Amino acid sequence: MNIHSVALNAVARRLRATQTDTPPASKREAILRAAIDVFADRGYFNAQVADVARAAGVAAGTVYLYFKSKDDLLVSIFERSMRDGLDAGKCAVADLHDPSERLRRLARAHLARLGADRSLAIVFQVELRQSTKFMERFSSSLLRDYLGLIREAIADGQRAGTFRSDIKPTVAAKILFGALDEMATNWILSRRRYSLESDADAVVDLFLNGARAR
């Protein structure tokens, strides 16, 4: 028995402990959760559907009742993560009008969500980016909608005269997203354990005020 088998068995025990007479929707979520943990632990290309099934405590054939293939599992992780991120972002700014504060709330929500689930962060930041085919998913409508929350706050700030009007809101939104994205990747790779969300304010402050001395 190797370290990967130990990890898979541990995941399977946790999932079985909460899966008595599991309804279909919950079973799908359990398989997806197992896929996140297995892909993060073994790497997407090294993992097999059988590994995911074992970790989820189901037969390999059961996985195919919910997902067409291992590729479909990865795509589903991406799509669910983006939907969850979009919902969290909308909730974070629902009661706000100030553009700067909206950017801070969006940044905190983004990093808090990834910081709360290291396995998801590894899959989202690393495994999804191993293939051009999956990278193309980042141009999907889900990401466009997610970036739209940032873009809207920037555009509102420009209309209010708070932000510079000589920059394109879409470009600025991608720059801020890219900075947050890099902080998440650095958090994964770092040997130091710290709160990822704590980086949010510094990123937004630099984005809003630049590097000039005050």
Side-chain angles (χ1 to χ4, degrees), residues 151 154-155 158 163-173 175 207:
R151 182 193 180 283
I154 293 169
Q158 289 177 321
F163 302 154
R164 286 169 47 185
S165 61
D166 60 336
I167 55 175
K168 295 180 179 179
T170 299
V171 172
I175 290 171
F207 176 79

Side-chain angles (χ1 to χ4, degrees), residues 100-109 200-201 204-205 208:
S100 297
E101 186 57 29
R102 279 156 62 190
L103 293 179
R104 292 188 191 283
R105 290 275 190 92
L106 289 170
R108 289 171 189 163
D201 286 351
V204 176
D205 183 64
L208 294 176

Side-chain angles (χ1 to χ4, degrees), residues 70-89:
K70 189 173 76 166
D71 285 1
D72 190 31
L73 275 167
L74 188 61
V75 168
S76 296
I77 291 170
F78 165 73
E79 290 180 341
R80 193 189 72 171
S81 181
M82 288 307 306
R83 287 194 187 96
D84 289 349
L86 189 59
D87 289 343

Side-chain angles (χ1 to χ4, degrees), residues 49-50 53-54 58-65:
V49 170
R54 190 178 309 114
V58 301
T62 302
V63 175
Y64 292 107
L65 295 177

Side-chain angles (χ1 to χ4, degrees), residues 53-207:
R54 190 178 309 114
V58 301
T62 302
V63 175
Y64 292 107
L65 295 177
Y66 299 92
F67 303 95
K68 297 175 184 177
S69 62
K70 189 173 76 166
D71 285 1
D72 190 31
L73 275 167
L74 188 61
V75 168
S76 296
I77 291 170
F78 165 73
E79 290 180 341
R80 193 189 72 171
S81 181
M82 288 307 306
R83 287 194 187 96
D84 289 349
L86 189 59
D87 289 343
K90 288 178 178 177
C91 288
V93 299
D95 60 340
L96 293 175
H97 297 288
D98 178 73
S100 297
E101 186 57 29
R102 279 156 62 190
L103 293 179
R104 292 188 191 283
R105 290 275 190 92
L106 289 170
R108 289 171 189 163
H110 181 92
L111 295 187
R113 188 170 54 87
L114 292 176
D117 189 340
R118 189 174 183 82
S119 290
L120 176 62
I122 291 171
V123 174
F124 195 80
Q125 298 296 132
V126 180
E127 298 304 322
L128 272 164
R129 309 183 189 206
Q130 300 294 316
S131 164
T132 301
K133 178 174 69 173
F134 292 120
M135 283 297 290
E136 289 173 352
R137 288 275 173 171
F138 281 121
S139 297
S140 72
S141 60
L142 287 171
L143 180 61
R144 201 158 50 240
D145 290 345
Y146 188 78
L147 285 173
L149 293 176
I150 303 174
R151 182 193 180 283
E152 185 178 3
I154 293 169
D156 285 349
Q158 289 177 321
R159 284 189 285 270
T162 305
F163 302 154
R164 286 169 47 185
S165 61
D166 60 336
I167 55 175
K168 295 180 179 179
T170 299
V171 172
K174 290 179 179 179
I175 290 171
L176 180 55
F177 179 86
L180 296 170
D181 197 57
E182 175 57 28
M183 299 311 292
T185 299
N186 184 70
W187 176 77
I188 291 168
L189 299 177
S190 176
R191 294 181 180 180
R192 188 167 55 90
R193 291 293 173 262
Y194 59 93
S195 167
L196 177 57
E197 184 181 359
S198 66
D199 284 336
D201 286 351
V203 171
V204 176
D205 183 64
L206 185 60
F207 176 79

